[in-house]
Amino acid sequence: MKKLEERMRIALGGILHDIGKFAQRAGEQVSAEWSEGKTQADFKYQHALHTWHFVQKYVPSDFQVGVLAAYHHAPQNAAQRLIRLADQLSAGERDSGATRDDSDRTIHPRQLHPIFTQVFADGQPHPFAGKDRFYFPLKPLTLLRDEKDEHQRPYIFPREEPLAADAAWAAYKEMWDAFCREAEQMKRLDELPAYVEAMQALLQRYAWCIPSAYFKSVPDISLYDHSRMTAALAVCLSDFDDAKIQALNHDWQTKGGASWSEPVALLVGGDISGVQDFIYTISSKGAAKALRGRSFYLQLLTEAVLRFVLRELALPYTNVIYSGGGHFFLLAPLSAKKELPKIQAAISRKLLAHHGTALYLALGSAEVPLSGFRAGEFTRYWDAMHKNLQEAKSRRYTELGAEMHTLVFAVSEDGGGDKHCAVCGADDVPLSQWKEEGDEWICSQCRSYVEDLGKKLPTSRYLHWRFGQAQDTPRGTFADALQAFGVQVRLLKTDEEADFQAGDALWALNDPEDGWPRGSAVAARWLRYAVNQIPVVKDAEEAEEINKRLSASERKESPAKPGVTKTFAHLQVQSGSGFERLGVVRLDVDNLGTVFKDGLGDKATLSRLSALSSQMSLFFEGWVKKIIAREGRDRLVYAVYAGGDDVFLIGPWDVMPDVALDIAKEFGEYTGHPGLHISGGMAFIGGKYPVYQAAEDAKDAEDLAKGRDGKNAFAFLNTAWRWDEFEKLKGNQETLRNLVQGTGEEGGSPKSLLMLLRSLAKMESEAAQGKKRPVWGRWMWMGAYHLTRAFERNKKKNPALAKALEDMRQEFEENNYKDLPQWGAAARWAQLKLRRKAKLDDGGKL
Ligand SMILES: [Zn+2]
């Protein structure tokens, strides 16, 4: 464990090495008391003196980290030279000539550009590329909106204009003071590994928006990302002796030499396969209860395996580049390479024991040479690691060698029992009676996703992690599976009793607006937003409303009860019209693979790629949650999954197009990049439809959108609309609905306007089959004729409607009926929205 201790100390030195920059920009002065007579000359730069000062004042002296952290510009011994080299490799994006200091008090503190400003996507650069515009505000990480801002913009959204100098100084000061208060609380944490993660988590929350450098460089890497990557690299480089470090340093400066192309670190990736089937291949009965718990479990499992790998490799959490969405990437010393096969085999054994062959986690790796950290070079190794990961997936279980047959075939054999789990179908595991369902049998694992995760998730605010030794637990609940990787997890409500210990981690799934739970200062307090919304029946009134509309058998099977998760049948009858269906929406970022591979071009570095991952997922894990919760939609929208770069949502069909449109539009505002966009689609399904089929249908809709030239589209009612067209379609649908709603039936129903538009659009589309769009057809004179007649009919009794009809006719004629398909779809949409709810005078469904 000597090695682990030393690596932790190095990691802490790396994490803290530039903390002085934060202090400096907050206008801190160095006091003689804490600097022990040291002056700038001892450290070369003023920020390093500030770092020294901070460490003396706040970091437990037992860790002996001051000399490590502060001397990175004037190293005097091996460990200090290590941090210096790591700092330089981590900042591969900076011009080598740039002095890494910004002491000048006359330059106001700058703000961070989102990494999207550096990305070339869909054939175009960011509109503000190379311009001194578009900044994140200076505020600890939060999903709140700025109440003082005239547009009430969220803090995680960049703004076109920077803060005025005074406001920026003040914002830095406020953040620094809050940061120091938390650092003060952490002083009692006297265990080094626990302290390192807690400090990293603290930096995540405060330094996410602070640029690591801006003097002669683009401020696009946060102090948080730069610090953790410096720590990661320092840990990797600690495998080498001082002579080697000095040689590497020389070759880095001269961009050549013997070690220029020698490997210095190992990039490791982990990726779970089988995710789709694991989540969706469940019986439709009770699906709503099971789905979110299963999808959330995969997040927990990914983290548990990641922690297991870190533990096996004796690495601190700083070495994680990214984790989320069923995969993780980390940076390890070269010596890790020979350990990976053994670790891979151990993971496979554990997953086989708990999940059979349903889930597999592949590990892949690539060695990165010294030159790989130069801007533009890193992507090559990133790709190589991904390729290796793909290969690992294709030869799954070979790592088990001769053991493979016994292990894999043992689990895939039929259990032979006559009972099987009503949710996942397993028949080779102990089953128990499912209380709620009465006559059903369910395995304890499936039951735990429902009882211990799904049910608790909507009211939980925190996830409490505890890490220990991996154990050979037999298959049981999900907690037994996590225990196999040495991880325990508990969902906590706002102020639930919890005994926090040093070394625990706490994930706040929402902003901890009322402060962190009591006693949690000894844990690493992370913000790890998760879309944990599951619609729940609010009260007796809503329960009654739902039950009234359920069929007699549905009501008997799963009636709505206050405080209980809504089933898909419940959500379906909450559709706003008599057309009772669910809308299943899938969306993801277009061409994301290409964006990662080529988007950063000659600017690609380790830090920039990790910034791209984390800023992307901040939107999908964090902001999407806010979009769903808006206007009470969280009571209707079921988030099966939201993270990485994609979302999968289910809700009453009429609510979902608005949610999708909001996500696409706000993603555009968040990145500010017209070349970064989302595509997706919506499928209509019934509440009893099999979940895997719903997932497939939504995937087909998404594929339809992705098949459209340029993507950036949403498939709805069997057509892929560009988002701007879709917004217009929505507007037209509203116009039509307003026109025909509430108008009398006598003298020809105005609703016939909807029929007319649909039949004209149908004629047009049939004529257009297989040809270029015809410019002329009978729908033109028919349209003119019927719209004129309708105008005449309504002229006196409904002048407003008449005028709208006349305007529509004129518009059609002016542009040769070009927008007819749009109006046809709008009419269809309006019809579905206007369909009346069946009368329920017999108390049941008609
Ligand atoms: Zn099961």
Side-chain angles (χ1 to χ4, degrees), residues 282 294 420-427 429-431 441-447 449 475:
I282 56 173
R294 297 177 87 83
H420 54 84
C421 171
V423 180
C424 73
D427 60 354
V429 293
L431 300 167
W441 292 84
I442 184 170
C443 72
S444 33
Q445 206 174 70
C446 285
R447 182 190 205 130
Y449 300 136
R475 177 172 170 141

Side-chain angles (χ1 to χ4, degrees), residues 411-703:
V411 300
S412 57
E413 248 170 47
D414 224 0
D418 52 351
K419 293 193 219 55
H420 54 84
C421 171
V423 180
C424 73
D427 60 354
D428 53 348
V429 293
L431 300 167
S432 62
Q433 200 102 32
W434 196 355
K435 278 185 235 146
E436 255 182 58
E437 306 293 322
D439 52 349
E440 298 276 23
W441 292 84
I442 184 170
C443 72
S444 33
Q445 206 174 70
C446 285
R447 182 190 205 130
S448 68
Y449 300 136
V450 176
E451 299 291 329
D452 305 332
L453 281 181
K455 277 190 183 169
K456 289 186 181 164
L457 205 51
T459 53
S460 296
R461 302 291 301 266
Y462 302 96
L463 211 56
H464 179 192
W465 296 88
R466 182 157 294 164
F467 312 106
Q469 285 295 345
Q471 291 164 22
D472 282 329
T473 46
R475 177 172 170 141
T477 63
F478 84 86
D480 296 316
L482 297 182
Q483 190 80 273
F485 294 97
V487 165
Q488 277 177 280
V489 68
R490 214 156 78 92
L491 283 162
L492 300 180
K493 292 185 175 142
T494 315
D495 207 9
E496 209 170 322
E497 280 302 316
D499 63 311
F500 295 103
Q501 291 175 13
D504 290 355
L506 188 62
W507 286 6
L509 306 176
N510 303 302
D511 287 315
E513 287 166 45
D514 318 315
W516 291 85
R518 263 175 298 143
S520 66
V522 293
R525 300 195 286 204
W526 295 95
L527 276 179
R528 286 290 295 257
Y529 300 122
V531 183
N532 54 341
Q533 277 123 339
I534 304 180
V536 164
V537 181
K538 191 178 163 208
D539 48 25
E541 197 183 328
E542 191 183 22
E544 197 195 317
E545 242 166 64
I546 294 171
N547 288 329
K548 229 167 40 186
R549 304 212 66 87
L550 292 176
S551 70
S553 68
E554 281 166 342
R555 203 162 46 228
K556 184 160 171 281
E557 203 174 278
S558 43
K561 292 177 201 151
V564 171
T565 309
K566 289 177 187 173
T567 67
F568 288 139
H570 297 165
L571 289 174
Q572 180 177 330
V573 300
Q574 292 198 293
S575 301
S577 76
F579 183 64
E580 292 179 348
R581 290 288 189 284
L582 294 168
V584 185
V585 168
R586 286 179 92 153
L587 302 168
D588 72 18
V589 176
D590 294 324
N591 314 319
L592 193 68
T594 314
V595 171
F596 269 87
K597 201 168 177 298
D598 305 321
L600 288 160
D602 58 7
K603 300 191 201 98
T605 59
L606 166 64
S607 301
R608 287 202 174 109
L609 280 171
S610 55
L612 192 54
S613 308
S614 54
Q615 284 172 29
M616 199 68 89
S617 57
L618 180 58
F619 182 85
F620 287 94
E621 280 153 20
W623 194 249
V624 164
K625 178 189 182 97
K626 291 285 180 185
I627 291 175
I628 294 173
R630 209 171 285 162
E631 293 149 17
R633 295 192 293 217
D634 50 341
R635 291 193 20 239
L636 296 170
V637 179
Y638 188 104
V640 179
Y641 179 76
D645 78 307
D646 61 326
V647 292
F648 186 130
L649 310 170
I650 301 180
W653 77 272
D654 54 321
V655 177
M656 305 312 286
D658 291 352
V659 178
L661 189 57
D662 285 353
I663 292 173
K665 280 172 81 172
E666 287 169 45
F667 180 69
E669 288 164 29
Y670 176 71
T671 66
H673 199 318
L676 286 172
H677 36 72
I678 289 176
S679 288
M682 179 176 125
F684 292 87
I685 61 155
K688 292 210 159 178
Y689 200 61
V691 179
Y692 72 89
Q693 191 61 54
E696 289 279 302
D697 289 3
K699 186 85 189 82
D700 289 346
E702 187 176 13
D703 289 345

Side-chain angles (χ1 to χ4, degrees), residues 14 91 115 135 199 253 285 308 367 429 433 441 458 502 563 575 606-607 651 729 772 776 789 840:
I115 191 64
Y135 297 97
M199 182 49 82
Q253 302 302 338
K285 202 169 169 185
F308 175 75
E367 290 178 340
V429 293
Q433 200 102 32
W441 292 84
S575 301
L606 166 64
S607 301
L729 176 69
K772 276 200 146 180
W776 191 89
R789 269 193 52 186
L840 296 166

Side-chain angles (χ1 to χ4, degrees), residues 22 26 28 58 172-183 206:
F22 188 178
E28 282 294 288
Y58 293 103
Y172 264 112
K173 177 85 176 94
E174 200 176 305
M175 290 207 295
W176 176 252
D177 289 346
F179 175 79
C180 289
R181 278 196 298 277
E182 288 200 53
Y206 286 92

